[in-house]
Amino acid sequence: MRTWPVSSVASANHPHRWTALSVGAGRRPAVAFWADPESAKASLVMARREDRIWSKETIAHLRGGRCSVALGPDGRCRIAFVDLEERSVHVALEEAGGWAIDPVATKLTGPLLGSVSIVVAPDGTQFVAWWSGAGLVISRGHLEGWIHETLDPN
């Protein structure tokens, strides 16, 4: 049986929830997760491993639901996440010196079930999917705008 090497990304002293993983060029992993999700200090965190060392950075301070991470053809990270307080879906896009938070859909009504997923096409177009009370929503686009389609689950 194969033995897997284990490395710690975050301390177990604080609750963490809803992790998402992607692997980029050179087998470099990127992990997004929610730290202290039930507290006033809740935050979305990105961790990466470079040269066997993990580094973490906070992307946003808010109460969120699930998250998903994808690495685009340009090597930049994208994190799709649900903002439970604002009832919205966003994509955080890695830029030089920080992150741009792009609202995909805001002021959502009905049940927001919290599941979200993101992929990036070879041309850089982002696709985000999530469940709402209306059904499965699939959005495609980028900072300049989003096109939404809702699929009835029945």
Side-chain angles (χ1 to χ4, degrees):
M1 179 178 359
R2 180 182 166 130
T3 303
W4 291 73
V6 176
S7 60
S8 178
V9 176
S11 165
N13 295 333
H14 300 284
H16 297 83
R17 205 175 278 163
W18 298 308
T19 60
L21 170 69
S22 187
V23 178
R27 297 180 5 185
R28 292 188 308 258
V31 180
F33 60 92
W34 289 99
D36 294 324
E38 301 299 324
S39 79
K41 297 187 292 184
S43 57
L44 178 61
V45 177
M46 166 57 77
R48 279 187 238 241
R49 187 169 180 223
E50 295 279 342
D51 299 322
R52 298 181 182 217
I53 298 172
W54 285 97
S55 63
K56 294 182 289 186
E57 63 182 310
T58 299
I59 308 306
H61 292 283
L62 52 90
R63 263 192 60 244
R66 307 274 197 259
C67 61
S68 178
V69 62
L71 297 167
D74 56 5
R76 297 187 301 166
C77 269
R78 284 101 165 141
I79 305 170
F81 63 93
V82 174
D83 180 337
L84 295 174
E85 293 175 356
E86 297 291 324
R87 300 192 52 75
S88 55
V89 175
H90 298 271
V91 169
L93 172 62
E94 181 181 27
E95 294 187 331
W99 293 80
I101 307 293
D102 185 20
V104 176
T106 59
K107 298 181 179 145
L108 298 170
T109 59
L112 182 59
L113 303 177
S115 182
V116 65
S117 183
I118 186 170
V119 296
V120 183
D123 70 356
T125 301
Q126 301 165 125
F127 291 83
V128 179
W130 76 91
W131 282 99
S132 74
L136 175 63
V137 180
I138 300 174
S139 301
R140 73 178 187 277
H142 40 74
L143 291 170
E144 287 80 35
W146 291 89
I147 298 169
H148 309 285
E149 295 180 60
T150 302
L151 304 173
D152 185 341
N154 298 319

